[in-house]
Amino acid sequence: MILSSSIPSTRERIGQNDWSLTPGRYVGVAVVTEDDEEGFAERMRAIHDELAELDEKASELAATISQNFEELFA
């Protein structure tokens, strides 16, 4: 993955680049090191666990809403 951010430029620098205003010429780039597979697997497990918990809560809420509608329109 590559992170970037814009940097200010001067007319002199733009002139040195043949007056090209292509953003790529004026962006700072930093290479981000890759995580090891263990770190990735651990994060994915945590995300999966959180998603499973949220899915369970969503199911409970859907059942409650359904029950409320049945009571309201019965």
Side-chain angles (χ1 to χ4, degrees):
M1 180 192 305
I2 297 176
L3 295 179
S4 62
S5 60
S6 61
I7 56 174
S9 189
T10 63
R11 287 182 186 209
E12 180 181 334
R13 182 168 179 211
I14 295 170
Q16 291 169 351
N17 287 312
D18 296 321
W19 302 101
S20 172
L21 297 177
T22 305
R25 292 184 182 255
Y26 308 99
V27 175
V29 176
V31 177
V32 176
T33 58
E34 294 294 321
D35 291 335
D36 60 357
E37 288 184 29
E38 243 179 63
F40 175 77
E42 185 177 317
R43 282 195 321 279
M44 286 302 292
R45 245 182 260 112
I47 290 170
H48 177 74
D49 291 346
E50 181 181 5
L51 180 59
E53 182 180 327
L54 291 171
D55 189 43
E56 185 178 327
K57 287 180 183 178
S59 294
E60 291 170 5
L61 288 172
T64 300
I65 290 169
S66 181
Q67 182 180 359
N68 289 343
F69 270 120
E70 286 178 20
E71 290 173 6
L72 185 63
F73 297 111

